Amino acid sequence: MMTSEISVAYDAVMQTGECPLWHPQEQAVYWVDIPAFTVHRLDPATGAHRAWKLDSEPATLALCQRGGLIVAMRSGFAHLDTASAEVRLTPIAAAPYDTRIARFNDGHVDGAGRFWVGTIYEPRDKPAAEMYVLEKGALRLAWSGGVTNSNGLGFSPDYRSLYHADTSAHRVSRYDFNLQSGTVSNQRTLMQFSADKANNYGGRPDGAAVDSAGNYWVAMFEGARLVKLSPEGTLLGELALPVRCPTMLAFGDADLRTLYITSAGARPADELAAYPLSGKLLRVRVDVAGRTEVPYLE
């Protein structure tokens, strides 16, 4: 799967690094540190780094057609002007949930420019997470319940399938997707990972990306690996990582054949001793290209 050794792209430790996003026009990678309230940007060619400290936890990012980024925060959606070193946020839509017990989490833009973002229900005592869609400034509910920690969102190259993970249930699902209407149907399990931490435990599915061949790559939190699944759910391979808790990956660089991988750095001391690269942005060359991210259309 990989064609080079894993290396550190950015050396600072994130508390919970998440949502790497490759910007093809800027040839730069963005990501967030959720509990640090920060959006990061790295130019891999020069090592130049910038960061924006926000007032609400950023969870996931999308490119914006007019430039800058769309940021899904606990407080809602906003546009971030990345041309400015200052924090210039323009609100788009307020959070539609009780921000004391929920926040936005993982998301991706579909082929029509809609930004799909799921939530995490933080009490975790019932499957009460939801999926929302931001379309031309308006927010709508796509589905509610059945999930506790929405993650692993991705679309097939033909946009006829939507992939989604419930991290708490250790399950990845596949749906039929109607691009024209922006609706899903026919949910079925793509992969059910073991939740038995005493036997055969390989982590739980977190953030994901779909490559140009249509295969689904998912970061296995607490599993120290990435897993590659076919559209039918066949295990095609895995990539061992020097961090126990990878959170998400994105294909980047000019040929989209470099994986940028975020992870959690706020972990127990014994884990950090065994995995000293935890929380750092990693990169590795792979043998298949990703796909250019679609921008959100206003």
Side-chain angles (χ1 to χ4, degrees):
M1 290 171 62
M2 67 179 185
T3 61
S4 71
E5 295 298 316
I6 298 171
S7 62
V8 174
Y10 185 65
D11 200 44
V13 173
M14 306 291 114
Q15 295 180 54
T16 305
E18 266 285 7
C19 186
L21 175 70
W22 181 253
H23 197 302
Q25 286 75 38
E26 298 180 10
Q27 290 292 290
V29 61
Y30 289 87
W31 73 98
V32 302
D33 187 349
I34 298 174
F37 292 69
T38 305
V39 176
H40 293 266
R41 179 190 186 274
L42 176 71
D43 181 337
T46 66
H49 170 263
R50 294 169 62 190
W52 296 265
K53 181 91 169 184
L54 309 183
D55 291 331
S56 182
E57 300 104 303
T60 188
L61 307 170
L63 305 178
C64 184
Q65 185 184 34
R66 64 181 168 97
L69 299 175
I70 305 300
V71 186
M73 303 172 290
R74 182 184 294 272
S75 60
F77 288 89
H79 176 269
L80 175 64
D81 180 3
T82 54
S84 172
E86 300 177 356
V87 176
R88 293 181 178 173
L89 280 175
T90 303
I92 298 172
Y97 46 73
D98 184 345
T99 58
R100 296 171 298 178
I101 58 172
R103 66 166 171 79
F104 282 123
N105 197 39
D106 174 86
H108 267 297
V109 176
D110 70 19
R114 310 178 189 95
F115 193 11
W116 291 67
V117 183
T119 68
I120 178 172
Y121 177 69
E122 292 175 315
R124 291 180 171 86
D125 56 3
K126 59 182 177 179
E130 299 171 311
M131 178 66 69
Y132 289 92
V133 184
L134 182 68
E135 183 173 7
K136 298 186 183 302
L139 195 60
R140 65 175 169 88
L141 180 66
W143 71 72
S144 179
V147 173
T148 305
N149 184 358
S150 181
N151 249 316
L153 193 66
F155 297 92
S156 61
D158 61 6
Y159 291 100
R160 296 179 66 180
S161 294
L162 178 151
Y163 299 96
H164 177 260
D166 182 358
T167 302
S168 298
H170 298 244
R171 181 179 60 247
V172 177
S173 297
R174 179 181 176 185
Y175 297 77
D176 293 340
F177 182 62
N178 185 312
L179 180 61
Q180 182 175 1
S181 63
T183 56
V184 297
S185 60
N186 190 27
Q187 178 187 9
R188 61 271 197 200
T189 298
L190 186 75
M191 177 66 77
Q192 178 66 59
F193 293 97
S194 173
D196 184 355
K197 293 193 175 185
N199 299 285
N200 194 36
Y201 182 65
R204 42 202 167 111
D206 202 321
V210 179
D211 67 26
S212 57
N215 298 313
Y216 179 84
W217 299 60
V218 60
M220 298 299 292
F221 193 87
E222 295 181 336
R225 61 181 180 145
L226 303 180
V227 167
K228 180 181 177 182
L229 302 174
S230 76
E232 294 72 40
T234 302
L235 178 62
L236 299 177
E238 58 182 73
L239 176 60
L241 297 174
V243 295
R244 183 169 181 259
C245 294
T247 55
M248 194 171 175
L249 61 142
F251 290 87
D253 288 355
D255 61 359
L256 297 177
R257 287 181 54 188
T258 298
L259 287 182
Y260 288 91
I261 305 162
T262 50
S263 65
R267 300 294 299 169
D270 57 344
E271 181 178 318
L272 297 178
Y275 298 94
L277 299 185
S278 295
K280 299 185 179 185
L281 181 69
L282 305 179
R283 65 182 161 201
V284 62
R285 297 284 291 169
V286 291
D287 57 6
V288 64
R291 296 147 57 207
T292 300
E293 291 287 336
V294 177
Y296 167 73
L297 299 181
E298 295 182 290

